């Protein structure tokens, strides 16, 4: 089955990282948002994502982006953790469940910029 993975797709992923109790890295299978460009999504064997958590906290951190009302997330509040950018094998993408709305795409881009300390004009052409 070929998955139509695009930038800003909300995906359910098999997290290959086992983690430990002494880390804040996401453990277990999770939802995530694809932050890789569509050319890479079409041709690469890996996909770059930011994890989503249902633990909405620390919104004072600009890399934490609140979202809500998405399929797969039971339409409940959640948060994209732009500070947890991960590269996964394409085969770790279990399903594509939704796509960010335009207003959330803008805030997602802002969260990535904050996480990577990119200049404000990075997404302008």
């Amino acid at each position: 089955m070929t998955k139509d993975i695009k930038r800003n797709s909300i995906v359910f992923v098999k997290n290959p990282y086992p983690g430990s109790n002494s880390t804040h890295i996401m453990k277990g299978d999770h939802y995530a948002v694809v932050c890789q460009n569509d050319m890479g999504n079409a041709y690469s064997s890996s996909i770059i994502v930011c994890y989503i958590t249902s633990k909405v906290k620390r919104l004072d951190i600009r890399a934490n982006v609140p979202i809500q009302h998405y399929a797969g997330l039971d339409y409940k509040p959640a948060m994209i953790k732009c500070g947890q950018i991960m590269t996964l094998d394409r085969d770790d993408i279990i399903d594509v469940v939704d796509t960010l709305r335009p207003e959330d795409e803008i805030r997602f881009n802002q969260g990535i910029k904050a996480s990577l300390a990119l200049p404000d004009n990075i997404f302008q052409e």
Side-chain angles (χ1 to χ4, degrees), residues 5-120:
I5 300 168
K6 303 274 188 209
R7 188 174 195 286
N8 300 316
S9 291
I10 298 174
V11 295
F12 189 65
V13 300
K14 178 176 65 178
N15 185 355
Y17 181 74
S20 71
N21 290 334
S22 63
T23 183
H24 292 281
I25 295 174
M26 301 288 272
K27 297 176 281 235
D29 300 346
H30 274 277
Y31 291 94
V33 179
V34 176
C35 57
Q36 178 169 276
N37 66 70
D38 286 338
M39 184 68 73
N41 295 330
Y43 296 105
S44 179
S45 62
S46 60
I47 303 291
I48 304 170
V49 302
C50 293
Y51 283 122
I52 297 173
T53 181
S54 60
K55 295 177 182 159
V56 180
K57 58 184 181 179
R58 295 302 316 260
L59 295 178
D60 57 310
I61 298 172
R62 291 178 39 219
N64 291 338
V65 178
I67 58 171
Q68 61 183 354
H69 305 298
Y70 284 99
L73 305 175
D74 294 329
Y75 300 98
K76 296 179 181 175
M79 184 176 74
I80 305 169
K81 297 186 72 149
C82 295
Q84 293 217 9
I85 300 172
M86 301 290 287
T87 301
L88 305 170
D89 288 332
R90 174 179 288 281
D91 293 340
D92 290 333
I93 306 288
I94 296 170
D95 197 11
V96 178
V97 297
D98 211 334
T99 302
L100 287 180
R101 292 183 297 275
E103 62 272 20
D104 289 333
E105 287 180 27
I106 293 167
R107 292 183 310 106
F108 179 47
N109 287 340
Q110 295 294 325
I112 291 171
K113 286 183 353 184
S115 177
L116 300 176
L118 298 172
D120 284 336

